Amino acid sequence: MPVDRRTLLPLTPVERPAAVADVAVPGHAWLPGLGRARLSDGPVAPLKLASGCDRRCAFCAIPSFRGALVSRPPDEVVAEAAWLATQGVRELVLVSENSTSYGKDLPGGTRALVRLLPRLAGVPGIDRVRVSYLQPAEMRPDLVEVIATTPGVAPYFDLSFQHASPAVLRRMRRFGSREDFLALCAQIRAHAPEAGIRSNVIVGFPGETEADLAELEAFLTEARLDAVGVFGYSDEDGTEAAGYDGKLPADEVAARVARVSSLVDELMAQRAEDRVGTEVEVLVEAAEDEDFECTGRAAHQAPEVDGECVLARGSGLRVGELVRAVVVGTEGADLLVTPGERLPRSELVASGVTRESG
Ligand code: SF4
């Protein structure tokens, strides 16, 4: 019989670190020296920040099976990062259900991520630290600034807005509006005009009107996001929204997904075109062969969910190399780039030369 994991830990976040010793949390309790092997040998690795979530979005079942938020102690995260660097990793992707809540159950509270990011960026051998799963309602100016401006931290914002109509967001048990989210995008770009911003949206949520959908489309058009995942609403067992009235027929949900997806594809391609002529730093993840081009990702592109960079043939680049490149064209959300200077790993420049960006 599945148990609601939220009931396994105290409601009060600061009481959880003591209680967590009795509750198995996958991916936590990493110990240096413990026999451990990576599942891949690529230059990018996920690094777990926390598990669980204390929010109660009406459509989401994650808190019921992942439980309350439990953060890994910062020293443990940094130690694992250092180990990953010895295994050839140059980019860390920090994962959790909600990274903006990281540290609320630790001494020092929610500023823990602001303090942790520069430490991770300073780990010898790590050239890029990327944060995923930021909750828009919990973004604070100091966190925006540290992600946008810290050398070695990718100026990349993975913000699941989910919608832009205040009425739909309230029924989702979330916060915000088109104006709020545009202001957040402007705040990010004031620090880092080239910052990447990606998002997910849900269309066809119960009670979503034509005016709500138009509000979402207006937001997406104004926001100029780099990548957007569009999902059609469907019931998740045990969630509050599953019991809502105002459900839309499945074919209407599918039609709205198609409509917003078509808009988003066009907007993402336009945003990519905006980057033509700019300089990016590309971490190579696939070398070229007879059939495939050499590909990698710039700081504004996360693995698997965003576009990628396609490097001009004949560069001779190997997997794991970091290279400056100029954007010369686009293919949808992907960038065609001409490689230039190869960048050494951070440990090689630690004695005096400052890395320019992450
Ligand atoms: S959608 Fe994200 S923030 Fe909301 S409850 Fe689920 S995991 Fe938490």
Side-chain angles (χ1 to χ4, degrees), residues 169 183 317:
L169 287 163
L317 288 161

Side-chain angles (χ1 to χ4, degrees), residues 5 8-10 15-26 28-29 51 68-73 105-106:
R5 288 186 62 89
L8 298 179
L9 289 167
E15 292 174 6
R16 289 179 201 153
V20 84
D22 300 325
V23 178
V25 186
H28 288 227
S51 306
L69 177 99
V70 179
S71 303
R72 297 180 72 191
D105 53 332
L106 300 175

Side-chain angles (χ1 to χ4, degrees), residues 27-99:
H28 288 227
W30 182 85
L31 296 172
L34 198 71
R36 171 174 277 233
R38 291 185 66 212
L39 296 176
S40 89
D41 60 358
V44 182
L47 177 55
K48 190 163 197 166
L49 267 187
S51 306
C53 181
D54 289 344
R55 300 192 79 88
R56 296 291 176 264
C57 301
F59 54 81
C60 180
I62 286 174
S64 68
F65 59 82
R66 292 277 162 81
L69 177 99
V70 179
S71 303
R72 297 180 72 191
D75 289 348
E76 184 182 303
V77 177
V78 172
E80 186 168 347
W83 177 78
L84 286 166
T86 67
Q87 306 300 303
V89 170
R90 294 184 81 168
E91 176 174 330
L92 299 169
V93 180
L94 307 183
V95 295
S96 72
E97 272 68 58
N98 175 2
S99 299

Side-chain angles (χ1 to χ4, degrees), residues 183-204:
L184 178 54
C185 294
Q187 190 186 349
I188 290 167
R189 290 174 176 139
H191 287 293
E194 306 299 332
I197 308 178
R198 76 154 280 114
S199 193
N200 291 323
V201 297
I202 296 173
V203 297

